[in-house]
Amino acid sequence: MISKKMEQMLNEQYNKEIFSAHLYLSMCSYFLDRDLDGFANYFKVQSQEELMHAEKQFVYLHDVDGKITMQQIDAPPSEFHSTIDCFERTLAHEKEVTKGIYGLVKQALDEGDFATHTFLQWFVTEQVEEEASVKALLMKLKMIGDNTSALYLLNDELLKRTLTVSE
Ligand code: FEO
């Protein structure tokens, strides 16, 4: 049985994951509009990953007799300044998500809720990977600068990204 406080915090996290999915789909749309199909694919897969995170939280909360309550989701930005701008916003957003996950972990520890603590470990690891991969791409983009050929090579590389369903 999960506490009301933990249930409320997991609900907030669930709704943030849905917002994240919309944010990355908005970036996908931005890149499709610029005919950068590889970057668009990267963010489409990113969006699908966020829905997978939300699904994990949905299933877990119901497994421990809690309930997901859908909330109104804010509209994500639809205008971006550049490719680098998208990745900088992504990194900033993921850092906020990490903070949220750490807050959940702390609450689980404070309550002695070891089931939720164990459940959250997957997300702790996932956030390390997400931040690292965005940072690596940001670094590449900064090296690429105004080199259009290099940008298209990276675009082709990102076209290969597929959704990995991890347990
Ligand atoms: Fe669900 Fe990108 O963290």
Coordinates of all heavy atoms in Angstrom, one line a residue, residues 12-27 42-43 46-51 53-54 57 73-77 80 84-102 123 126-135 138:
E12 N 2.4 13.4 -10.1 CA 3.0 14.6 -10.7 C 4.1 14.1 -11.7 O 4.2 14.7 -12.8 CB 3.6 15.4 -9.6 CG 2.6 16.2 -8.8 CD 3.1 16.9 -7.6 OE1 4.3 16.9 -7.4 OE2 2.3 17.3 -6.7
Q13 N 4.8 13.1 -11.3 CA 5.9 12.7 -12.2 C 5.3 12.1 -13.5 O 5.8 12.4 -14.6 CB 6.8 11.6 -11.5 CG 8.0 11.2 -12.3 CD 8.9 12.4 -12.5 OE1 9.1 13.2 -11.7 NE2 9.5 12.4 -13.7
Y14 N 4.2 11.3 -13.3 CA 3.5 10.7 -14.5 C 3.1 11.8 -15.5 O 3.4 11.8 -16.7 CB 2.3 9.9 -14.1 CG 1.4 9.5 -15.2 CD1 1.7 8.3 -15.9 CD2 0.3 10.3 -15.6 CE1 0.9 7.9 -17.0 CE2 -0.4 9.9 -16.7 CZ -0.2 8.7 -17.4 OH -0.9 8.3 -18.4
N15 N 2.5 12.9 -15.0 CA 2.1 14.0 -15.8 C 3.2 14.7 -16.4 O 3.1 15.2 -17.5 CB 1.1 14.9 -15.0 CG -0.3 14.2 -14.9 OD1 -1.0 14.2 -15.9 ND2 -0.6 13.6 -13.8
K16 N 4.4 14.8 -15.7 CA 5.6 15.4 -16.3 C 6.1 14.6 -17.4 O 6.7 15.1 -18.4 CB 6.7 15.6 -15.2 CG 6.4 16.8 -14.3 CD 7.6 16.9 -13.3 CE 7.2 17.7 -12.1 NZ 8.1 17.5 -10.9
E17 N 6.0 13.3 -17.3 CA 6.5 12.4 -18.4 C 5.6 12.7 -19.7 O 6.2 12.7 -20.8 CB 6.4 10.9 -18.0 CG 7.2 10.6 -16.8 CD 8.7 10.5 -16.9 OE1 9.2 10.7 -18.1 OE2 9.4 10.2 -15.9
I18 N 4.3 12.8 -19.5 CA 3.4 13.1 -20.6 C 3.8 14.5 -21.2 O 3.9 14.6 -22.5 CB 2.0 13.1 -20.2 CG1 1.6 11.8 -19.6 CG2 1.0 13.5 -21.4 CD1 1.5 10.6 -20.5
F19 N 4.1 15.5 -20.4 CA 4.6 16.8 -20.9 C 5.8 16.6 -21.7 O 6.0 17.1 -22.8 CB 4.8 17.8 -19.8 CG 5.4 19.0 -20.3 CD1 4.6 20.0 -20.9 CD2 6.8 19.2 -20.2 CE1 5.2 21.2 -21.4 CE2 7.4 20.4 -20.7 CZ 6.6 21.4 -21.3
S20 N 6.8 15.8 -21.2 CA 8.0 15.5 -21.9 C 7.8 14.9 -23.3 O 8.4 15.3 -24.2 CB 8.9 14.6 -21.1 OG 9.2 15.1 -19.8
A21 N 6.9 14.0 -23.3 CA 6.5 13.4 -24.6 C 6.0 14.4 -25.6 O 6.4 14.4 -26.8 CB 5.5 12.3 -24.4
H22 N 5.2 15.4 -25.1 CA 4.7 16.4 -26.0 C 5.8 17.4 -26.4 O 5.9 17.8 -27.6 CB 3.6 17.2 -25.3 CG 2.3 16.5 -25.2 ND1 1.2 17.1 -24.7 CD2 2.0 15.2 -25.4 CE1 0.2 16.2 -24.7 NE2 0.7 15.0 -25.1
L23 N 6.7 17.7 -25.5 CA 7.8 18.6 -25.7 C 8.7 18.0 -26.9 O 9.1 18.7 -27.8 CB 8.7 18.8 -24.5 CG 10.0 19.6 -24.6 CD1 9.7 21.0 -25.0 CD2 10.8 19.6 -23.3
Y24 N 9.0 16.7 -26.8 CA 9.9 16.2 -27.8 C 9.2 15.9 -29.1 O 9.9 16.0 -30.2 CB 10.5 14.9 -27.2 CG 11.4 15.1 -26.0 CD1 11.4 14.3 -24.9 CD2 12.2 16.3 -26.0 CE1 12.2 14.6 -23.8 CE2 13.0 16.6 -24.9 CZ 13.0 15.7 -23.8 OH 13.8 16.0 -22.7
L25 N 7.9 15.7 -29.1 CA 7.2 15.6 -30.3 C 7.1 17.0 -31.0 O 7.1 17.1 -32.2 CB 5.8 15.1 -30.0 CG 5.1 14.3 -31.2 CD1 6.0 13.2 -31.7 CD2 3.8 13.7 -30.7
S26 N 7.1 18.0 -30.2 CA 7.1 19.4 -30.7 C 8.4 19.7 -31.4 O 8.5 20.3 -32.5 CB 6.8 20.4 -29.6 OG 6.8 21.7 -30.1
M27 N 9.5 19.2 -30.8 CA 10.8 19.3 -31.4 C 10.9 18.5 -32.7 O 11.5 18.9 -33.7 CB 11.9 18.9 -30.4 CG 12.1 19.9 -29.3 SD 13.4 19.5 -28.2 CE 13.2 20.7 -26.9
Y42 N 15.1 11.3 -34.1 CA 15.7 11.3 -32.7 C 14.6 11.7 -31.7 O 14.4 11.1 -30.7 CB 16.9 12.2 -32.7 CG 17.5 12.3 -31.3 CD1 18.4 11.3 -30.8 CD2 17.1 13.3 -30.4 CE1 18.9 11.4 -29.5 CE2 17.6 13.4 -29.1 CZ 18.5 12.4 -28.7 OH 19.0 12.5 -27.4
F43 N 13.9 12.8 -32.0 CA 13.0 13.4 -31.0 C 11.7 12.6 -31.0 O 11.0 12.5 -30.0 CB 12.8 14.9 -31.3 CG 13.9 15.7 -30.7 CD1 14.9 16.2 -31.5 CD2 14.0 15.8 -29.3 CE1 15.9 16.9 -30.9 CE2 15.1 16.5 -28.7 CZ 16.0 17.1 -29.6
Q46 N 12.5 9.9 -28.8 CA 12.6 10.4 -27.4 C 11.2 10.6 -26.8 O 11.0 10.2 -25.6 CB 13.3 11.8 -27.5 CG 13.8 12.3 -26.2 CD 14.9 11.5 -25.6 OE1 15.7 10.8 -26.3 NE2 14.9 11.5 -24.2
S47 N 10.3 11.0 -27.6 CA 8.9 11.2 -27.2 C 8.3 9.8 -26.8 O 7.6 9.7 -25.8 CB 8.1 11.8 -28.3 OG 6.7 11.9 -28.0
Q48 N 8.6 8.8 -27.7 CA 8.1 7.5 -27.4 C 8.6 6.9 -26.1 O 7.9 6.2 -25.3 CB 8.4 6.5 -28.5 CG 7.6 6.8 -29.8 CD 8.2 6.1 -31.0 OE1 9.4 5.7 -31.1 NE2 7.4 6.0 -32.1
E49 N 9.9 7.2 -25.8 CA 10.5 6.8 -24.6 C 9.8 7.4 -23.4 O 9.6 6.8 -22.3 CB 12.0 7.2 -24.5 CG 12.9 6.2 -25.3 CD 14.4 6.4 -24.8 OE1 14.7 7.2 -24.0 OE2 15.2 5.6 -25.4
E50 N 9.4 8.7 -23.5 CA 8.8 9.3 -22.4 C 7.4 8.7 -22.1 O 7.0 8.5 -20.9 CB 8.6 10.8 -22.7 CG 9.9 11.6 -22.9 CD 10.8 11.5 -21.7 OE1 10.4 11.2 -20.6 OE2 12.0 11.8 -21.9
L51 N 6.7 8.3 -23.2 CA 5.4 7.6 -23.0 C 5.7 6.3 -22.3 O 4.9 5.8 -21.5 CB 4.7 7.4 -24.3 CG 4.2 8.7 -25.0 CD1 3.6 8.4 -26.3 CD2 3.2 9.4 -24.1
H53 N 8.1 5.7 -20.1 CA 8.3 6.0 -18.7 C 7.0 6.2 -18.0 O 6.8 5.7 -16.9 CB 9.1 7.3 -18.6 CG 10.5 7.2 -19.2 ND1 11.3 8.4 -19.4 CD2 11.2 6.2 -19.7 CE1 12.4 8.0 -19.9 NE2 12.4 6.7 -20.1
A54 N 6.1 7.0 -18.6 CA 4.8 7.2 -18.0 C 4.0 5.9 -17.8 O 3.4 5.7 -16.8 CB 4.0 8.2 -18.9
Q57 N 5.2 4.0 -14.8 CA 4.7 4.6 -13.6 C 3.2 4.3 -13.4 O 2.8 4.0 -12.3 CB 5.0 6.1 -13.6 CG 6.5 6.5 -13.4 CD 6.9 7.8 -14.0 OE1 6.0 8.6 -14.3 NE2 8.2 8.0 -14.1
I73 N -2.2 19.1 -19.2 CA -0.8 19.2 -19.6 C -0.6 20.6 -20.3 O -1.3 20.9 -21.3 CB -0.4 18.1 -20.6 CG1 -0.8 16.7 -20.0 CG2 1.0 18.1 -21.0 CD1 -0.1 16.3 -18.8
D74 N 0.4 21.3 -19.9 CA 0.7 22.6 -20.5 C 1.2 22.4 -21.9 O 1.8 21.3 -22.2 CB 1.9 23.3 -19.7 CG 1.4 23.8 -18.4 OD1 0.2 24.0 -18.2 OD2 2.3 24.0 -17.5
A75 N 0.9 23.3 -22.8 CA 1.4 23.2 -24.2 C 2.9 23.4 -24.2 O 3.4 24.3 -23.5 CB 0.8 24.3 -25.0
P76 N 3.7 22.6 -24.9 CA 5.1 22.8 -25.0 C 5.4 23.9 -25.9 O 4.5 24.3 -26.7 CB 5.6 21.5 -25.5 CG 4.5 20.9 -26.3 CD 3.2 21.4 -25.7
P77 N 6.6 24.5 -25.9 CA 7.0 25.5 -26.9 C 6.9 24.9 -28.3 O 7.1 23.7 -28.5 CB 8.4 25.9 -26.5 CG 8.9 24.9 -25.6 CD 7.7 24.2 -25.0
F80 N 11.5 27.1 -31.9 CA 12.9 26.9 -31.4 C 13.8 27.7 -32.3 O 13.5 27.9 -33.5 CB 13.2 25.4 -31.4 CG 12.2 24.6 -30.6 CD1 11.2 23.9 -31.3 CD2 12.3 24.5 -29.3 CE1 10.3 23.2 -30.5 CE2 11.4 23.8 -28.5 CZ 10.3 23.1 -29.2
I84 N 20.9 23.5 -31.9 CA 21.6 23.5 -30.6 C 20.6 24.0 -29.6 O 20.5 23.4 -28.5 CB 22.8 24.5 -30.7 CG1 23.9 23.8 -31.4 CG2 23.2 24.9 -29.3 CD1 25.3 24.4 -31.2
D85 N 19.7 24.9 -29.9 CA 18.7 25.4 -28.9 C 17.8 24.2 -28.4 O 17.6 24.1 -27.3 CB 17.8 26.5 -29.6 CG 16.7 27.0 -28.7 OD1 17.0 27.2 -27.5 OD2 15.6 27.2 -29.2
C86 N 17.4 23.3 -29.4 CA 16.6 22.2 -29.0 C 17.4 21.3 -28.0 O 16.8 20.8 -27.0 CB 16.2 21.4 -30.2 SG 14.9 22.1 -31.2
F87 N 18.6 21.0 -28.3 CA 19.4 20.1 -27.4 C 19.7 20.8 -26.1 O 19.8 20.1 -25.0 CB 20.6 19.6 -28.1 CG 20.3 18.5 -29.1 CD1 19.9 18.8 -30.4 CD2 20.3 17.2 -28.7 CE1 19.5 17.8 -31.3 CE2 19.9 16.2 -29.5 CZ 19.5 16.4 -30.8
E88 N 19.9 22.1 -26.1 CA 20.2 22.8 -24.8 C 18.9 22.7 -24.0 O 19.0 22.5 -22.8 CB 20.6 24.2 -25.1 CG 22.1 24.3 -25.4 CD 22.6 25.7 -25.8 OE1 21.8 26.5 -26.1 OE2 23.8 25.8 -25.7
R89 N 17.8 22.9 -24.6 CA 16.5 22.9 -23.8 C 16.2 21.5 -23.3 O 15.7 21.2 -22.3 CB 15.3 23.3 -24.7 CG 15.3 24.8 -25.0 CD 14.0 25.1 -25.6 NE 14.0 26.4 -26.3 CZ 13.0 27.2 -26.4 NH1 11.8 26.8 -25.8 NH2 13.0 28.3 -27.0
T90 N 16.6 20.5 -24.2 CA 16.4 19.1 -23.8 C 17.2 18.8 -22.6 O 16.8 18.1 -21.6 CB 16.8 18.1 -25.0 OG1 15.9 18.4 -26.1 CG2 16.7 16.7 -24.6
L91 N 18.5 19.2 -22.6 CA 19.4 18.9 -21.4 C 18.8 19.6 -20.2 O 18.8 19.0 -19.1 CB 20.8 19.4 -21.7 CG 21.9 19.1 -20.7 CD1 21.9 17.6 -20.4 CD2 23.2 19.6 -21.1
A92 N 18.4 20.9 -20.3 CA 17.9 21.6 -19.1 C 16.6 20.8 -18.6 O 16.4 20.7 -17.4 CB 17.5 23.0 -19.5
H93 N 15.8 20.4 -19.6 CA 14.6 19.7 -19.2 C 14.9 18.4 -18.4 O 14.3 18.1 -17.4 CB 13.7 19.4 -20.4 CG 12.4 18.8 -20.1 ND1 11.4 19.4 -19.4 CD2 12.0 17.5 -20.3 CE1 10.4 18.6 -19.2 NE2 10.7 17.4 -19.7
E94 N 15.8 17.6 -19.0 CA 16.2 16.3 -18.4 C 16.8 16.5 -17.0 O 16.6 15.7 -16.1 CB 17.1 15.6 -19.3 CG 16.4 15.0 -20.5 CD 15.2 14.1 -20.2 OE1 15.2 13.4 -19.2 OE2 14.3 14.1 -21.0
K95 N 17.5 17.6 -16.8 CA 18.1 17.9 -15.5 C 16.9 18.1 -14.5 O 17.0 17.7 -13.3 CB 19.0 19.1 -15.5 CG 20.4 18.7 -16.1 CD 21.3 19.9 -16.1 CE 22.7 19.5 -16.6 NZ 23.6 20.6 -16.8
E96 N 15.9 18.8 -14.9 CA 14.7 19.0 -14.1 C 14.0 17.7 -13.8 O 13.6 17.4 -12.6 CB 13.7 20.0 -14.7 CG 14.1 21.4 -14.7 CD 14.3 21.9 -13.2 OE1 13.4 21.7 -12.4 OE2 15.4 22.5 -13.0
V97 N 13.9 16.8 -14.8 CA 13.3 15.5 -14.6 C 14.1 14.7 -13.5 O 13.6 14.1 -12.6 CB 13.2 14.7 -15.9 CG1 12.7 13.3 -15.7 CG2 12.3 15.4 -16.9
T98 N 15.5 14.8 -13.7 CA 16.3 14.1 -12.7 C 16.1 14.6 -11.3 O 16.0 13.8 -10.4 CB 17.8 14.3 -13.1 OG1 18.0 13.8 -14.4 CG2 18.8 13.6 -12.1
K99 N 15.9 15.9 -11.1 CA 15.7 16.5 -9.8 C 14.4 15.9 -9.3 O 14.3 15.5 -8.1 CB 15.5 18.0 -9.9 CG 16.7 18.8 -9.6 CD 16.3 20.2 -9.4 CE 17.3 21.1 -10.1 NZ 16.9 22.5 -10.3
G100 N 13.3 15.8 -10.1 CA 12.1 15.2 -9.7 C 12.2 13.8 -9.3 O 11.6 13.3 -8.3
I101 N 13.0 13.0 -10.0 CA 13.2 11.6 -9.7 C 13.9 11.5 -8.3 O 13.6 10.7 -7.4 CB 14.0 10.8 -10.8 CG1 13.3 10.8 -12.1 CG2 14.4 9.4 -10.3 CD1 12.0 9.9 -12.1
Y102 N 14.9 12.4 -8.1 CA 15.7 12.3 -6.8 C 14.7 12.7 -5.7 O 14.9 12.1 -4.6 CB 16.9 13.3 -6.9 CG 18.0 12.8 -7.7 CD1 18.0 11.6 -8.4 CD2 19.2 13.6 -7.8 CE1 19.0 11.2 -9.2 CE2 20.3 13.1 -8.6 CZ 20.2 12.0 -9.3 OH 21.2 11.5 -10.1
F123 N 14.7 4.5 -13.0 CA 14.7 5.8 -13.5 C 15.9 6.6 -13.2 O 16.4 7.5 -13.9 CB 13.4 6.6 -12.9 CG 12.1 6.0 -13.5 CD1 11.4 5.0 -12.9 CD2 11.6 6.6 -14.7 CE1 10.3 4.5 -13.4 CE2 10.5 6.1 -15.2 CZ 9.8 5.1 -14.6
E126 N 18.3 5.5 -15.8 CA 17.8 6.1 -17.1 C 18.2 7.5 -17.2 O 18.6 8.0 -18.3 CB 16.3 5.9 -17.2 CG 15.6 6.5 -18.4 CD 15.9 5.6 -19.7 OE1 16.6 4.6 -19.6 OE2 15.4 6.1 -20.8
Q127 N 18.0 8.3 -16.2 CA 18.4 9.7 -16.2 C 19.8 10.0 -16.5 O 20.2 10.9 -17.2 CB 17.9 10.4 -15.0 CG 16.4 10.7 -14.9 CD 15.8 11.3 -16.1 OE1 15.0 10.7 -16.8 NE2 16.3 12.5 -16.5
V128 N 20.7 9.1 -15.9 CA 22.1 9.3 -16.1 C 22.4 9.1 -17.6 O 23.1 9.9 -18.3 CB 22.9 8.2 -15.3 CG1 24.4 8.3 -15.7 CG2 22.8 8.5 -13.8
E129 N 21.8 8.0 -18.2 CA 22.0 7.7 -19.6 C 21.4 8.9 -20.5 O 22.0 9.3 -21.5 CB 21.3 6.4 -20.0 CG 22.1 5.2 -19.5 CD 21.3 3.9 -19.6 OE1 20.2 3.9 -20.3 OE2 21.7 2.9 -19.0
E130 N 20.2 9.3 -20.1 CA 19.6 10.4 -21.0 C 20.4 11.7 -21.0 O 20.7 12.2 -22.0 CB 18.2 10.7 -20.5 CG 17.2 9.6 -20.7 CD 15.8 10.0 -21.1 OE1 15.5 11.2 -20.9 OE2 15.0 9.2 -21.6
E131 N 20.8 12.1 -19.8 CA 21.6 13.3 -19.8 C 23.0 13.1 -20.5 O 23.4 14.0 -21.2 CB 21.9 13.7 -18.3 CG 20.7 14.3 -17.6 CD 21.1 15.0 -16.3 OE1 22.2 15.4 -16.1 OE2 20.2 14.9 -15.4
A132 N 23.6 12.0 -20.4 CA 24.9 11.7 -21.0 C 24.7 11.7 -22.6 O 25.5 12.3 -23.3 CB 25.4 10.4 -20.6
S133 N 23.6 11.1 -23.1 CA 23.5 11.1 -24.5 C 23.2 12.5 -25.1 O 23.6 12.8 -26.2 CB 22.5 10.0 -24.9 OG 21.2 10.5 -24.9
V134 N 22.4 13.2 -24.4 CA 22.1 14.6 -24.9 C 23.3 15.5 -24.8 O 23.6 16.2 -25.8 CB 20.9 15.3 -24.0 CG1 20.7 16.7 -24.5 CG2 19.7 14.5 -24.1
K135 N 24.1 15.3 -23.8 CA 25.4 16.1 -23.6 C 26.3 15.8 -24.8 O 27.0 16.6 -25.4 CB 26.1 15.8 -22.3 CG 25.7 16.7 -21.2 CD 26.5 16.5 -19.9 CE 25.6 16.0 -18.8 NZ 26.3 15.4 -17.7
L138 N 25.1 17.4 -27.9 CA 25.3 18.8 -27.9 C 26.8 19.1 -28.2 O 27.1 20.1 -28.9 CB 24.9 19.3 -26.4 CG 24.6 20.8 -26.2 CD1 23.7 21.3 -27.3 CD2 24.0 20.9 -24.8

